[in-house]
Amino acid sequence: MTLRLATRRSPLALRQAERVRDALVARGVDCELIEVTSSGDRDQSTPLAQLGGQGIFAIEVQRAVLEGRADAAVHSAKDLPSTTPEGLAIACVPERRDPADVLVGRALAGLGPGATVATGSPRRRALLLSRRPDLRVVELRGNMATRLSTVGRDGVDAIVTAVAALERLDQSELIAERLEPSWFTPQVGQGALCVEARADDRDSLELLAPLSDPAAWQTLHAERAFLRSLGAGCAVPAGAHAMLVDGVLALSAVLLAPDGERVARAQVSGRDATEVGEQAARELMSRPDVREFWSERS
């Protein structure tokens, strides 16, 4: 059979899908890429938070699989809703690169008072302001080429993006500073790829399963459990970063007020990915100060 892989049309998404395709071809599986335009790609001016946050880059790609136009969907894991739609299953998590965020243009110390930084992520905005409340943070949309071209135009001194995106596009030389995940907690799933297939499609699931990396699978599931328990998406200033060391998952999670003035963190360790993620969410939501600013978001 020829395995049809659905993917967004953006250069980064295509590069990611090609990596999955190449890994399958190396195992003797014929593959075809099915390009899909997502609602997030069609509207590149509205802020992500107003578009509904998580899912806008995934829904149409998932629909291609559910409707039988493709056999599997390749996603950036951070673009996925925290709950897998009915009829789909995560077939594999084939790789995870450095989940950290980076600054392009200038390092944090090189940004003077009132400097302008662009990002479309409420999490990145809040984390920046929590450490540098003097910065002016403006909205950023578009594909990676558009975002990178923003630096130096219209007063923008730097942008925030994911190191994994630049690595996959062979543009790591643009990184001015890697923002350490211990304080600049990444988005859930950042740096990871995730492939979905129909839950009843045993052939596709069996072909994809060998591509999965056990550590990437467990860390992603812990982070997704955190986000799912929180009831949040990427429109909310929240992040989580899990690592697997000697069979033990260590997850660091953060929840912030949009202006960065209030920051709550939790660290949880354990061997069960779901329980680790859920416990981190419970610990954060049990704090009175968190419940106060969390209720304000609505």
Side-chain angles (χ1 to χ4, degrees):
M1 64 176 289
T2 296
L3 196 67
R4 298 166 299 166
L5 301 175
T7 173
R8 291 168 56 203
R9 296 179 187 270
S10 75
L12 176 58
L14 287 171
R15 182 70 63 91
Q16 293 171 167
E18 288 164 358
R19 292 183 65 87
V20 175
R21 179 199 62 191
D22 293 348
L24 287 164
V25 169
R27 298 181 63 86
V29 181
D30 290 332
C31 290
E32 175 187 359
L33 297 186
I34 307 296
E35 298 181 18
V36 177
T37 301
S38 73
S39 56
D41 293 317
R42 285 192 294 270
D43 184 344
Q44 296 195 7
S45 59
T46 305
L48 290 177
Q50 294 180 23
L51 284 174
Q54 218 170 33
I56 63 168
F57 294 111
I59 293 172
E60 284 88 349
V61 185
Q62 292 172 324
R63 187 176 297 134
V65 179
L66 288 170
E67 294 177 352
R69 290 179 282 120
D71 303 300
V74 182
H75 307 278
S76 290
K78 66 182 180 62
D79 292 336
L80 285 173
S82 56
T83 301
T84 303
E86 184 177 355
L88 293 180
I90 294 178
C92 65
V93 184
E95 65 171 290
R96 188 164 199 178
R97 295 205 175 191
D98 187 346
D101 290 289
V102 295
L103 283 168
V104 173
R106 295 186 189 177
L108 198 59
L111 293 169
T116 299
V117 181
T119 174
S121 161
R123 172 190 59 85
R124 289 169 174 162
R125 174 189 178 90
L127 282 167
L128 279 172
L129 293 175
S130 70
R131 182 159 292 196
R132 288 288 306 275
D134 62 291
L135 293 175
R136 176 174 175 261
V137 183
V138 298
E139 187 67 25
L140 180 66
R141 287 296 313 276
N143 62 29
M144 186 58 66
T146 300
R147 296 182 192 186
L148 293 173
S149 70
T150 303
V151 178
R153 292 195 294 109
D154 300 323
V156 174
D157 299 290
I159 68 167
V160 190
T161 190
V163 62
L166 294 177
E167 288 178 348
R168 289 186 175 117
L169 291 171
D170 300 320
Q171 293 181 302
S172 300
E173 73 280 359
L174 298 177
I175 296 172
E177 181 182 359
R178 178 181 181 272
L179 300 171
E180 179 55 47
S182 60
W183 77 272
F184 208 92
T185 310
Q187 173 66 26
V188 164
Q190 191 156 293
L193 299 184
C194 187
V195 184
E196 293 178 317
R198 288 185 296 279
D200 61 358
D201 184 355
R202 293 186 59 183
D203 289 339
S204 295
L205 291 171
E206 289 177 2
L207 288 172
L208 291 162
L211 301 189
S212 208
D213 177 82
W217 179 283
Q218 291 196 59
T219 54
L220 176 61
H221 277 64
E223 293 169 11
R224 284 170 57 81
F226 164 75
L227 198 62
R228 186 168 58 250
S229 297
L230 210 57
C234 65
V236 171
H241 175 220
M243 295 185 294
L244 183 67
V245 181
D246 296 330
V248 177
L249 283 161
L251 184 141
S252 300
V254 68
L255 184 61
L256 307 98
D259 58 8
E261 290 189 359
R262 290 171 288 181
V263 182
R265 297 184 182 274
Q267 293 188 331
V268 176
S269 296
R271 294 184 179 275
D272 183 273
T274 300
E275 176 56 30
V276 166
E278 291 177 349
Q279 184 180 339
R282 286 195 300 269
E283 287 192 10
L284 285 175
M285 296 306 295
S286 68
R287 294 171 48 173
D289 59 327
V290 170
R291 289 199 299 271
E292 178 183 354
F293 74 72
W294 185 249
S295 64
E296 293 173 0
R297 72 187 179 99
S298 59

